[in-house]
Amino acid sequence: MNKIHAAITAVNGYVPDYVLTNHELETMVETNDEWIMSRTGIKERRILKGEGLATSDLAVPAVEGLLKKRGISAEEIELIIFCTTTPDMPFPATANILADKIGAKNAWGYDLQAACSGFIFGLATGAQFIESGKHTKVLVVGGDKMSAIVNYKDRATCIIFGDGCGAALLEPNTDGYGVMDSILKSDGSGRAFLHQKAGGSLKPATHATVDALEHFAYQEGQAVFKFAVTNMADVAAEVMERNNLKSDDIAWLVPHQANKRIIDATANRTGVSADKVIINIERYGNTTNGTIPLCLWEWESKFKKGDNLILAAFGGGFTWGSIYLKWAY
Ligand code: UT7
């Protein structure tokens, strides 16, 4: 029998309605539209408003739409990998909460934490369960309610992040379509530059940690930028070289949406022309685990069967990686 690849057979996404524009941010912190646009490429981002709503509530419409598109029921899902940095709760896993909310009664699942590289790590991990023959329907969800951990008085971070979620279904394919290769990397020394100080076992929540604003995302932007701009570009180039792919062989480059300048650097390094680079950062900002599946969702109608896609991400950890994917439909 031909080798089993894990093919994406459906994608879907969801962003909340509320639009937080650069102009509104100008009323909250000392910043301006020109600075944000020129440094990041972001014009607006979406925010999940409302009491009692969490990351899983972004995932429910994304996944329900996906199941409808694919014409399957939630009960057919065998495994849910929920890639998130803003789980509904420290435990149990948001994968379990999502399974309950959508009625995926036959699924097991777990959360995967690799910050902005989460969806890439999740896709590569989910693919293993398909390739091994263990499962035939694996749902990989990438989503974050970043507004839950963003300090809207910190102009260095509040301009970047937004809320959103996307999902992809993996199924076996023996015709040579699907996840072809992946390169995943991490360097834990990078934790110094991008992290949330409190709320974990190192520094459980106390009045003091709340007063010190330690439950918000902390980022040393310039340091992260330096690592991201080279590593994301290098790993994308590495996966292409390893598979003898030239820039002309690539139909679409799907980069993590953290900063337009990092995306441009990755496009330059891989030689992929601008018209093949998927960018929606101006509308959603950095949705962390959501960026890549949201891109797949929004560009789905343009993809053709057999298109070569290169996915690339860089995030907190540090974590980074790239996937070579042959589009299956
Ligand atoms: O997705 C996970 C990985 N994360 C990333 O990849 C993010 C990587 N980093 C970045 O994208 C960029 O570093 C930022 C967008 C976060 C910041 O851009 P930057 O060009 O690195 O700016 P900077 O932090 O070096 O700040 C330059 C100046 C500073 O002023 P001084 O010290 O030169 O007077 C900042 O205080 O810009 C100031 N600044 C701002 N000014 C207006 C910082 N934030 C703002 C702001 N509006 N929102």
Side-chain angles (χ1 to χ4, degrees):
M1 198 177 90
N2 292 338
K3 179 178 172 3
I4 301 173
H5 286 106
I8 292 181
T9 55
V11 286
N12 205 45
Y14 174 78
V15 289
D17 291 337
Y18 190 86
V19 179
L20 176 59
T21 63
N22 289 351
H23 293 299
E24 187 176 351
L25 282 169
E26 286 172 4
T27 68
M28 298 158 67
V29 288
E30 203 182 322
T31 190
N32 59 76
D33 177 56
E34 198 282 324
W35 191 96
I36 302 172
M37 273 304 283
S38 62
R39 299 288 178 123
T40 68
I42 302 168
K43 194 94 198 144
E44 56 192 42
R45 61 294 287 142
R46 300 300 183 96
I47 304 295
L48 182 62
K49 297 259 185 186
E51 280 293 306
L53 296 176
T55 298
S56 67
D57 296 298
L58 297 167
V60 169
V63 172
E64 286 182 342
L66 178 148
L67 295 173
K68 207 170 162 199
K69 264 185 180 175
R70 180 71 186 88
I72 59 168
S73 76
E75 284 164 6
E76 293 178 61
I77 302 296
E78 294 156 39
L79 165 61
I80 298 174
I81 302 176
F82 203 126
C83 314
T84 186
T85 302
T86 52
D88 287 18
M89 301 172 168
F91 75 90
T94 310
N96 300 142
I97 299 170
L98 175 66
D100 180 51
K101 287 186 175 179
I102 62 171
K105 291 187 170 57
N106 300 311
W108 67 289
Y110 56 90
D111 288 3
L112 190 153
Q113 164 63 286
C116 295
S117 309
F119 188 76
I120 297 253
F121 281 34
L123 211 53
T125 310
Q128 302 292 314
F129 288 97
I130 299 285
E131 288 166 16
S132 68
K134 177 85 180 161
H135 290 309
T136 59
K137 284 187 177 53
V138 174
L139 189 62
V140 183
V141 183
D144 276 294
K145 182 188 168 187
M146 289 305 292
S147 59
I149 58 163
V150 164
N151 175 3
Y152 286 95
K153 291 191 170 133
D154 174 14
R155 68 177 183 175
T157 51
C158 73
I159 56 141
I160 304 169
F161 294 106
D163 301 340
C165 182
L169 183 68
L170 290 174
E171 295 185 75
N173 182 294
T174 50
D175 298 325
Y177 301 100
V179 174
M180 308 307 287
D181 196 11
S182 62
I183 300 178
L184 310 173
K185 306 200 185 208
S186 64
D187 175 0
S189 67
R191 70 188 181 281
F193 307 108
L194 184 48
H195 58 254
Q196 181 182 319
K197 293 188 197 306
S201 59
L202 177 65
K203 242 189 191 193
T206 62
H207 287 293
T209 60
V210 172
D211 291 344
L213 307 175
E214 290 179 342
H215 295 270
F216 292 124
Y218 169 86
Q219 173 168 258
E220 292 179 30
Q222 268 194 22
V224 178
F225 186 94
K226 274 182 206 148
F227 279 93
V229 80
T230 48
N231 284 313
M232 192 165 113
D234 284 353
V235 77
E238 191 181 339
V239 90
M240 282 171 60
E241 274 153 32
R242 190 154 96 175
N243 291 280
N244 297 315
L245 294 166
K246 305 272 172 272
S247 53
D248 286 348
D249 300 322
I250 305 306
W252 300 100
L253 177 66
V254 194
H256 169 53
Q257 314 278 309
N259 186 314
K260 173 79 164 48
R261 291 182 287 148
I262 299 174
I263 296 172
D264 291 344
T266 306
N268 285 339
R269 175 81 170 77
T270 54
V272 174
S273 58
D275 56 321
K276 298 176 178 175
V277 183
I278 298 184
I279 302 176
N280 59 14
I281 191 171
E282 72 281 3
R283 286 176 290 124
Y284 303 141
N286 181 351
T287 54
T288 304
N289 287 271
T291 61
I292 288 178
L294 286 174
C295 285
L296 295 176
W297 165 55
E298 288 202 320
W299 264 257
E300 182 193 20
S301 63
K302 297 193 169 81
F303 297 159
K304 292 196 223 42
K305 190 171 179 176
D307 274 358
N308 289 325
L309 272 64
I310 297 292
L311 282 44
F314 184 91
F318 292 138
T319 54
W320 65 105
S322 186
I323 284 181
Y324 162 38
L325 185 75
K326 231 178 214 313
W327 198 251
Y329 61 98

